[in-house]
Amino acid sequence: MGRSAVAIPEKLFFKIGEVCELAGVQAHVLRYWESEFTMLAPQKNRAGQRVYRKRDVEIALRIKELLYEDQYTIAGAKKRLANDLRAGGKLKIVSSEDDVKDSETNGSQAAPEGMTGARTAEDRKSLRKVARELREILALLDTPSKKH
């Protein structure tokens, strides 16, 4: 499955309903994710309502991607998200401004919509082939050589 770019509005704070709409999940799912993923920790305002920052929205979108698209378990998604954040903090979620800037300034040719999933499937197929070949090499190395 490909990464679906979600345009995050340029705002300082988001209410839980707005984050639910952006992520396409219900509020109880977001609250559950908060209990499982320590890196998703929105602040609360004086009224006790959750207020998410842009970074929280990016994390929520990445969690959804890991769980729903990449089919990670909660434990696997925790590890992967922690590694992603440790590796540089970029979560590859596109804001509406960034999307336009990247395509104009970098001259990068984005794959047509729907192609990212095909590319990922192709990558996985290639990786499976490499893994199979490596297992074959290991099998060859494990078999005793026939010396006379």
Side-chain angles (χ1 to χ4, degrees):
M1 307 275 150
R3 288 210 160 127
S4 52
V6 175
I8 302 172
E10 292 299 322
K11 295 172 55 171
L12 288 177
F13 300 105
F14 299 84
K15 294 179 181 178
I16 193 168
E18 295 170 316
V19 179
C20 290
E21 191 173 315
L22 287 169
V25 296
Q26 294 185 354
H28 70 273
V29 174
L30 273 179
R31 291 191 299 269
Y32 174 70
W33 289 351
E34 289 171 26
S35 70
E36 291 293 327
F37 297 86
T38 56
M39 54 286 282
L40 180 62
Q43 298 175 348
K44 293 190 178 180
N45 62 16
R46 291 181 192 160
Q49 296 174 329
R50 288 168 170 79
V51 284
Y52 294 80
R53 294 179 188 258
K54 185 174 182 177
R55 182 71 172 167
D56 295 319
V57 176
E58 291 172 345
I59 290 171
L61 291 170
R62 180 66 175 138
I63 291 169
K64 180 186 178 191
E65 178 183 8
L66 290 170
L67 295 174
Y68 292 18
E69 294 179 24
D70 297 341
Q71 300 293 307
Y72 278 82
T73 62
I74 293 286
K78 281 182 196 179
K79 288 179 186 175
R80 179 66 189 265
L81 184 59
N83 288 339
D84 288 354
L85 293 172
R86 227 179 286 123
K90 277 286 188 184
L91 295 177
K92 298 177 187 168
I93 304 295
V94 183
S95 69
S96 53
E97 248 179 53
D98 296 338
D99 194 20
V100 173
K101 285 181 189 173
D102 285 348
S103 61
E104 290 174 356
T105 59
N106 293 341
S108 62
Q109 296 177 349
E113 200 170 317
M115 287 299 292
T116 54
R119 192 175 334 136
T120 303
E122 187 178 316
D123 291 344
R124 288 183 182 152
K125 184 177 179 181
S126 297
L127 287 172
R128 281 193 292 271
K129 181 181 177 191
V130 169
R132 187 177 341 105
E133 291 170 353
L134 286 171
R135 281 192 293 275
E136 290 172 7
I137 292 170
L138 276 173
L140 288 173
L141 292 172
D142 286 341
T143 57
S145 62
K146 298 178 182 179
K147 293 185 181 177
H148 293 93

